[in-house]
Amino acid sequence: RIKRQAISAEPSGLDPAKLTDVTLTSYLKTKESGELIQKALMNNDFMKHLEHGQILTIMDCMYPTTLSKGCCVIQEGDDGSTVYVLEEGMVEVTKQGKTLCTIGPGKVFGELAILYNCTRTASVTALTDIKLWAIDRQNFQTIMMRSGVIKHSQYMDFLRSIPSFQSLPEDGLSKLADVLEETHYGDSDYIIRQGATGDTFFIISEGQVKVSQQNSPSDEQVTVTTLSKGDWFGEQALKGEDVRTASYTAVGDVTCLVIDRESFKQLIGGLDEVKKKQCENNEVKEKLQAEADFFSSVS
Ligand code: CMP
């Protein structure tokens, strides 16, 4: 269960680590223009799954431009550098000289070459004088990737700060950060119920969690301890005993990072194998070196 961004385009030439450094410029627009852009983005098949924050940021960064009737906005086969939203006028979309459709106000176009790193799939020509909102490729792709990149780096920082995870290599932590799911609980919510089956592992990233146990159904629940940020629980389920041995309830608002058994086993198993392989490789290297040393000493 690897989490992915809604849009699967892999922007070429962009280093995800540097995306947080890109400065985005916002352009003033009227309320009506802002709403038109937002609606256009939300109605576009390729963009409607974006997070609301991403839609707002794209809208914010779009700059105005105008073109006269008859101008070519996009030439089929070119490299794409801009995504547009049409605010006023009409454009015609053609492919190899044949008309595909005409587009009116409130529609996105020019998104395909940017989202899928392909050349322009069609030509777009202004049928009237037109008013457009535009966003450049780099800004667009930065916004597309940014929320995921920021979340990932926050998870990495957090996982690195947990003593139990400090021995994991960076790529292992990074994979954990990819698969974990953030879940939220309100005061007194059960995160785990004693006796229930379960196959998830929890790391507390915010708030406190009360651990309680009941020795028999007729006994009172006894509070065993209270866990806080950076503590983890539910590990028995990952070892194969999937009946929960205690109850875990939220004390106030709680956020947990949840890892399912398969992901956890896979990642840790994988990491162990890497370690084992490294060990074996080192052993082989040492053996070869010892042989070389021996032969050089007798020759
Ligand atoms: P892009 O390929 O970047 O540049 C040309 C644009 O024309 C394309 O993105 C779409 O926005 C648009 N387009 C291509 N094919 C069609 C189609 N069949 N119907 C509507 N719009 C299209």
Side-chain angles (χ1 to χ4, degrees), residues 2-7 178:
I2 306 288
K3 277 196 288 177
R4 294 268 172 254
Q5 283 274 96
I7 297 273
D178 273 341

Side-chain angles (χ1 to χ4, degrees), residues 193-205:
R193 272 181 202 272
Q194 184 175 351
T197 54
D199 58 1
T200 40
F201 177 79
F202 297 80
I203 306 163
I204 304 169
S205 71

Side-chain angles (χ1 to χ4, degrees), residues 44 46 74-84 92-95 100-103 108-115 118-124:
N44 180 277
F46 301 93
I74 287 177
Q75 178 65 50
E76 185 180 350
D78 279 359
D79 288 332
S81 60
T82 316
V83 180
Y84 300 96
E92 182 181 50
V93 183
T94 57
K95 198 176 175 75
L100 294 177
C101 64
T102 54
I103 292 178
V108 173
F109 64 90
E111 77 286 26
L112 298 181
I114 313 298
L115 286 171
C118 57
T119 52
R120 293 298 197 185
T121 58
S123 292
V124 180

Side-chain angles (χ1 to χ4, degrees), residues 194 210-216 219-225 246-247:
Q194 184 175 351
K210 187 178 80 176
V211 187
S212 54
Q213 268 178 325
Q214 218 176 1
N215 288 333
S216 76
D219 284 352
E220 288 267 297
Q221 286 263 0
V222 180
T223 301
V224 182
T225 185
S247 290

Side-chain angles (χ1 to χ4, degrees), residues 85-224:
V85 170
L86 184 61
E87 179 161 40
E88 278 172 27
M90 294 290 287
V91 294
E92 182 181 50
V93 183
T94 57
K95 198 176 175 75
Q96 290 167 350
K98 288 196 186 122
T99 302
L100 294 177
C101 64
T102 54
I103 292 178
K107 289 273 187 292
V108 173
F109 64 90
E111 77 286 26
L112 298 181
I114 313 298
L115 286 171
Y116 296 104
N117 284 313
C118 57
T119 52
R120 293 298 197 185
T121 58
S123 292
V124 180
T125 312
L127 291 176
T128 62
D129 289 350
I130 54 172
K131 186 174 171 202
L132 299 161
W133 292 97
I135 180 166
D136 295 337
R137 181 190 191 98
Q138 194 189 14
N139 284 348
F140 181 78
Q141 291 182 330
T142 298
I143 297 163
M144 299 291 287
M145 291 197 69
R146 202 178 236 189
S147 72
V149 169
I150 290 174
K151 266 267 178 261
H152 187 271
S153 99
Q154 285 169 345
Y155 289 149
M156 287 286 285
D157 286 347
F158 176 61
L159 291 172
R160 258 189 225 113
S161 75
I162 302 172
S164 320
F165 290 93
Q166 273 162 10
S167 61
L168 286 176
E170 282 291 290
D171 64 331
L173 284 179
S174 177
K175 284 176 190 160
L176 275 184
D178 273 341
V179 297
L180 55 81
E181 302 273 353
E182 196 173 293
T183 52
H184 302 272
Y185 304 89
D187 188 36
S188 303
D189 281 353
Y190 271 90
I191 302 169
I192 284 179
R193 272 181 202 272
Q194 184 175 351
T197 54
D199 58 1
T200 40
F201 177 79
F202 297 80
I203 306 163
I204 304 169
S205 71
E206 230 39 272
Q208 295 204 315
V209 173
K210 187 178 80 176
V211 187
S212 54
Q213 268 178 325
Q214 218 176 1
N215 288 333
S216 76
S218 55
D219 284 352
E220 288 267 297
Q221 286 263 0
V222 180
T223 301
V224 182

